[in-house]
Amino acid sequence: MTRIISGFAGSRTIRVPRGGTRPTSDRVREAAFSALAARDALAGATVLDLYAGSGALGLEAASRGAAAVTLVEREAAAARLCRSNAAIVLANAPAASTPSIIVQKQSVMAFLTSASASFDVVFIDPPYALSDPELAQNLQLLAPRLTPNAIVVVERSTRSAAPTWPTGLVPDRRARYGETTLWWAEASEVPSQPRYGSQPDSVS
């Protein structure tokens, strides 16, 4: 079990798959969403949660004001949990501002190849076993589906190499939390130097 940390569904517990996924810890989620709140990135946002697992990242975004959330999960059992967890969140939503939550049971590659929507905030939390070239391909396919200044947050093992960012995604910063590192990037048409190269890493 894990919990929604804040927002209209704050403190509600949701279930996590028994195996095959690696849920983001409350500590890392809280840090990520505090940073997003500081940027005022969630209110009314269209959010994409790739490799959703339990859906905790996308559902946290829904609880905190996102207007639309898409959870992408290919494993049948995990996709069912995403749907039941979404129902828990939606049951607590204000009637006047109930978010849209969609669960897509398909692979990330299949979703990104066929998707036509654009997204403001994207979480990518793949299994640590996902190869660097596979992640790079995900990011390449994702880049055209981002709104201007969209934020992308990639969760990887601290031992993993930095993501290979495609044209259209500008590296922003990275933050380390023990064995987990969050890599941040922003959608932009203008090539730029990574800001984390000239600033200290955030370490918690």
Side-chain angles (χ1 to χ4, degrees):
M1 304 289 282
T2 189
R3 66 187 179 94
I4 301 298
I5 297 170
S6 189
F8 64 72
S11 80
R12 298 299 187 272
T13 56
I14 59 175
R15 295 174 60 198
V16 300
R18 294 188 177 212
T21 64
R22 176 187 41 76
T24 302
S25 71
D26 284 0
R27 174 191 177 206
V28 174
R29 269 192 299 135
E30 180 58 51
F33 280 94
S34 291
L36 288 168
R39 300 182 185 204
D40 194 25
L42 290 175
T46 300
V47 175
L48 177 61
D49 184 356
L50 299 175
Y51 303 97
S54 67
L57 289 169
L59 297 177
E60 185 77 38
S63 180
R64 292 180 186 234
V69 175
T70 300
L71 309 175
V72 180
E73 174 54 57
R74 72 175 184 180
E75 297 297 332
R80 286 194 297 271
L81 271 185
C82 282
R83 292 189 180 96
S84 63
N85 288 337
I88 292 169
V89 170
L90 290 172
N92 291 275
S97 56
T98 299
S100 164
I101 302 177
I102 298 171
V103 179
Q104 295 282 359
K105 183 191 167 298
Q106 60 186 140
S107 71
V108 166
M109 199 68 68
F111 175 82
L112 291 175
T113 300
S114 61
S116 57
S118 296
F119 301 96
D120 304 311
V121 178
V122 180
F123 300 103
I124 306 180
D125 181 17
Y128 284 166
L130 187 80
S131 69
D132 293 339
E134 287 177 286
L135 176 59
Q137 190 173 15
N138 287 175
L139 292 167
Q140 186 77 46
L141 291 170
L142 173 66
R145 291 161 180 80
L146 298 172
T147 59
N149 303 313
I151 297 170
V152 177
V153 184
V154 177
E155 181 174 340
R156 294 292 269 165
S157 165
T158 296
R159 293 184 291 274
S160 297
T164 300
W165 302 106
T167 300
L169 271 174
V170 180
D172 183 357
R173 66 187 183 94
R174 62 184 172 190
R176 293 179 292 175
Y177 307 91
E179 290 299 308
T180 297
T181 293
L182 296 183
W183 299 86
W184 295 68
E186 185 172 312
S188 174
E189 295 300 322
V190 181
S192 176
Q193 292 299 314
R195 276 179 275 175
Y196 64 75
S198 60
Q199 296 182 3
D201 292 344
S202 172
V203 181
S204 297

